[in-house]
Amino acid sequence: MNGSPEPTSSDSVAGPRAVRRFLRLAGPVFGPAGAPGVRLMAAGLLGLTALQIVLQVRFNVWNRDFFDALEARNHAAFLAQMGVFALLAGGSMAVMIYQLYVKQLLQLAWRQWLTDRMVAAWLKDARHYQLTYVLDEGAENPDQRIAEDVRLATELAVEFAVGMLNAVLMFVIFIGVLWTLSGTLRFVLAGHAVALPGYMVWAALAYAALGSGATWLLGRSLVGLNMRRTGAEADFRFALTRLRENSESVALIRGEADEARGLATGFRRVAEAVKAVMRGQRRLMWLTSGYGMFGMVFPTLIASPQYFSGAVTLGGLMQIAGAFQQVQIALSWVVDNMGRIAEWQSSVARLLALHDAIGALDDLVADADEPTLTITEGDGSVLALRHIKIAYSDGSIVINDASAEILPGEGVLISGDSGTGKSTLIRTIAGVWPWGRGEIVLPPRATMMFMPQRPYLPLGTLRGALSYPAAPVAFDDAALQAALAATGLEQFAPRLDEDARWDKLLSLAEQQRLAFARLLLHRPAWVFMDEATSGLSDEDQALMMDRFRAELPTAALVSIGTRPGLERWHERTLNLSSAAGGARLELRRRAAPPPVPGVVGRLLRALRG
């Protein structure tokens, strides 16, 4: 039970292996089971990119003809070339606009597909909950990784794919143009005549190789720095969100000063990480800016001997310089995108780390040398715990060798000192706590409902909060209003379709009443309460429990609660007592419930025979 996923370092996930793993994770979007239309978008993007290259080649030819017309002072040819330019510019603008639009459509479709896949993996089998107990790298801030890192990983992947395709096509086409135009450079070296054909090609290759190599050496540290920055930003956002969600508690305890210190510390980490990235970018900018500036004059400088010798015209010189720049741009793609590549690699690393952490939960369920915890769904005739051992994610035992059976319609109260694992036992029965061994036989899951101490109220309308987890349209207005009236919340009936933060507007007592209203609507056969009445007064607790028993007299009830008087609604008490090696589950008391007076009591006795 002590297994843990192996930490993933930035070095191990930021290189070619990370690209292969990312493509295995996200590449199926382009397969038959991928997002609809995504292959058509990709094909359209490839076609528009190729068309843009064709236009660039034609612009290179136009560059020669235009400057030749200028050199010849041929006004008619000059005007004709301006007309050609207008046509080329209009076509290029149209292609660029639609290329951008199709690219954005592809990026959005890919992001949506990968987001759906990551969310499904995160929510499957309560992994989103189990990750909160896994402290390994990759488990922290899953929301930020899914929202932000998926976006960056997919958007930049499309950008890079288009950029690399463009660079390859430009290189293949313009290297031929440059070879043809540059001719042969002849010079004397150590007394020997040397002829260097296509010398501009070799100059372009040497210039790009020098710049790319130097950029890689200076820029590779940006991957780790960007990962550090992204993590610090995510931690700071999480601290702000946590403060907002707990603002009432902070305000009541006057904890603002301490929160301010914590937030200041968090932002200092952000600032330090940002400054580290800035320093890395500053070093890289010295190189890339100098490389780009010198690249503006380098091709003209290298080709000038051909021009001054009369071997080429001014138009030919401009065409050579243009072709050189296109080759240099293609070969310098890494130089120009080093910062963005580092940003993409850090996002991919964080995304893969989350994917690994989710997948590693299966290995954390149990030690390979021990039996696992098996949970099966029965026919509803019994809920059985058979020699179960429940552990924390680090392997320490919290409940040891517990066995019990609960029958339909029974009321069972689980008691015990704090820390003996009462809530953990309920989580295990719910199937969200995977660490342990033994066997649990559950009733059909559709017949079960769990009521935690603080009910979950989703964002949206009160109708949605009442119907949850069913759809808001699952119950009509009459049923919703009757449930509210039965639980003392009738004043909220006119507000069913009001969209608000109901988890903030309602007090804990009102939220627990709403949970009972939800219970009356769904009418489960098995109910599990974990301190579900802790916010209610004794009178309100009695009212809610009596209403529950009156409305669902045949439902089984398994409760955790420490308040006196809860025994009244339970026939049996199972006690968790502390012991070496884990708490023990034992039957402490079995007694018939005391008679309930009044009409409710007579109804209950009649229904129970």
Side-chain angles (χ1 to χ4, degrees), residues 175-489:
I175 202 76
V177 173
L178 190 59
W179 182 277
T180 303
L181 294 177
S182 59
T184 301
L185 180 64
R186 304 181 186 277
F187 58 94
V188 177
L189 181 63
H192 298 281
V194 178
L196 184 63
Y199 76 98
M200 290 295 294
V201 171
W202 305 114
L205 292 174
Y207 188 76
L210 180 65
S212 298
T215 301
W216 178 255
L217 290 175
L218 280 180
R220 60 182 178 178
S221 63
L222 283 174
V223 176
L225 294 176
N226 269 295
M227 286 190 66
R228 177 184 164 198
R229 173 185 178 177
T230 305
E233 295 274 14
D235 291 340
F236 183 64
R237 281 194 296 270
F238 175 75
L240 291 169
T241 302
R242 188 171 181 272
L243 173 59
R244 185 192 65 190
E245 295 294 331
N246 295 276
S247 59
E248 180 181 359
S249 299
V250 173
L252 291 174
I253 205 171
R254 294 293 188 266
E256 288 84 359
D258 186 70
E259 292 295 327
R261 285 191 294 270
L263 291 174
T265 300
F267 189 78
R268 276 197 299 272
R269 295 193 187 101
V270 171
E272 290 168 1
V274 170
K275 287 179 181 178
V277 172
M278 289 167 58
R279 288 191 292 269
Q281 290 176 335
R282 182 184 62 195
R283 292 191 296 268
L284 189 60
M285 280 293 291
W286 277 109
L287 175 65
T288 55
S289 60
Y291 179 84
M293 293 293 290
F294 189 60
M296 296 173 63
V297 298
F298 182 75
T300 304
L301 178 66
I302 298 299
S304 60
Q306 295 283 76
Y307 175 71
F308 288 120
S309 69
V312 296
T313 64
L314 176 62
L317 178 65
M318 293 298 101
Q319 188 179 16
I320 291 173
F324 181 97
Q325 286 186 342
Q326 296 288 7
V327 171
Q328 183 246 325
I329 289 172
L331 292 175
S332 304
W333 185 85
V334 173
V335 175
D336 298 332
N337 290 276
M338 190 64 204
R340 302 187 77 197
I341 290 173
E343 184 180 10
W344 179 78
Q345 286 180 313
S346 66
S347 292
V348 167
R350 286 172 53 80
L351 190 60
L352 291 174
L354 174 61
H355 184 260
D356 289 344
I358 294 174
L361 283 172
D362 292 338
D363 299 328
L364 286 172
V365 170
D367 193 291
D369 298 327
E370 297 182 1
T372 59
L373 178 65
T374 59
I375 301 178
T376 58
E377 189 173 309
D379 58 5
S381 60
V382 68
L383 189 159
L385 312 177
R386 294 170 182 162
H387 302 290
I388 65 169
K389 176 187 287 187
I390 302 175
Y392 292 124
S393 59
D394 62 3
S396 56
I397 304 300
V398 59
I399 297 176
N400 196 2
D401 197 24
S403 295
E405 288 192 352
I406 301 171
L407 300 177
E410 271 197 297
V412 176
L413 178 65
I414 300 175
S415 63
D417 295 333
S418 178
T420 53
K422 300 185 297 296
S423 294
T424 307
L425 178 59
I426 291 293
R427 294 171 189 142
T428 305
I429 294 172
V432 302
W433 191 268
W435 297 288
R437 62 178 179 175
E439 181 184 5
I440 300 178
V441 179
L442 295 177
R445 293 186 183 273
T447 66
M448 302 164 64
M449 176 171 278
F450 291 82
M451 298 174 64
Q453 182 176 13
R454 182 172 289 277
Y456 174 68
L457 305 184
L459 298 175
T461 63
L462 181 60
R463 181 189 302 276
L466 266 174
S467 303
Y468 189 84
V473 296
F475 305 99
D476 59 28
D477 287 2
L480 296 173
Q481 291 165 0
L484 290 172
T487 52
L489 297 173

